Amino acid sequence: MKIILNQDAEAVRLVQEGLKRTGGYCPCKMERTEDNKCMCKEFREQIHDPEFEGYCHCMLYYKSRS
């Protein structure tokens, strides 16, 4: 398993700006809860799924199975 930043530098920049603006909460989610703090609970659970390969909700991180 490997987790990397999105290769699209503009997407990373926009999400990181959003994270700064929201105090570290996912800028794509409306609620400001601990579950939505980056790296969000949704993606942490996906990381543990051996079958999952893909981006987190906001497209900042990518998990590959290799």
Side-chain angles (χ1 to χ4, degrees):
M1 173 186 71
K2 186 175 182 181
I3 298 171
I4 60 171
L5 282 177
N6 188 331
Q7 303 243 339
D8 182 339
E10 180 66 10
V12 170
R13 185 186 67 76
L14 290 172
V15 173
Q16 287 177 334
E17 284 179 3
L19 288 168
K20 287 178 190 173
R21 199 174 49 252
T22 63
Y25 294 96
C26 180
C28 303
K29 306 219 180 197
M30 298 297 289
E31 295 179 342
R32 302 289 183 245
T33 65
E34 284 304 308
D35 287 349
N36 294 336
K37 194 90 165 174
C38 190
M39 181 176 286
C40 70
K41 180 181 178 184
E42 178 184 359
F43 192 58
R44 289 190 314 264
E45 289 173 352
Q46 289 172 323
I47 289 170
H48 294 294
D49 177 355
E51 298 300 313
F52 176 78
E53 181 169 352
Y55 289 100
C56 66
H57 179 79
C58 66
M59 305 280 291
L60 180 61
Y61 297 107
Y62 183 83
K63 178 204 167 197
S64 65
R65 290 185 279 176
S66 55

